[in-house]
Amino acid sequence: MRGYGESLFGRFRAVRVSASLLVGVSSALVLSIGSASPAQASDYRREAETTFKVQGGTSDSPCTGWVWIGQTWNGSIEASTSVKCPGQQLGMLARARIATRKIGGILSTRNVNCALAKYCIASKSISGSNGKTYCNQGYVATIGLIEKEGFGNVCITT
């Protein structure tokens, strides 16, 4: 049913205008997303990472540790530490520790225990400030008949 003063032609015209507007907005959105440069797409101002070996006694293990730290555009400091093994482990531990230097200077720590896993990750975030050094003193361990562990340390200067 039509309302007061509304014609059937007026309704179709409104639908066409709305559809045209929607197509125009979606085209502009696709154009702006498609033309983003890698610098605009990055979430971090600075970041650093490294991998390290996980060892048990005198033997190497097929497990690999990874440690990362980054500073977001709004100044937050984020750190992640992970361990990955080709086969399932009884237990694993990953520790992300944000510090002001490679040894000591601990600001914040997060430990994560994973049971019956091939992969384990710990992440931590704090507020940071410019002109300082921040490190992730990463530690990982596999828990089982033969315990294996590894350390990784990476730093950025903000």
Side-chain angles (χ1 to χ4, degrees), residues 39-62:
Q40 293 169 329
S42 176
D43 291 338
Y44 296 93
R45 292 176 63 190
R46 290 166 188 80
E47 58 185 308
E49 68 179 310
T50 191
T51 57
F52 56 92
K53 292 182 179 183
V54 179
Q55 300 176 327
T58 59
S59 66
D60 287 348
S61 126

Side-chain angles (χ1 to χ4, degrees), residues 21-90:
L21 184 59
L22 183 60
V23 168
V25 169
S26 65
S27 296
L29 183 61
V30 168
L31 180 62
S32 67
I33 291 172
S35 63
S37 70
Q40 293 169 329
S42 176
D43 291 338
Y44 296 93
R45 292 176 63 190
R46 290 166 188 80
E47 58 185 308
E49 68 179 310
T50 191
T51 57
F52 56 92
K53 292 182 179 183
V54 179
Q55 300 176 327
T58 59
S59 66
D60 287 348
S61 126
C63 302
T64 304
W66 175 76
V67 64
W68 173 89
I69 192 162
Q71 180 189 29
T72 64
W73 287 98
N74 66 3
S76 294
I77 304 299
E78 298 180 357
S80 289
T81 303
S82 67
V83 58
K84 182 178 182 180
C85 298
Q88 184 170 299
Q89 306 295 307
L90 292 176

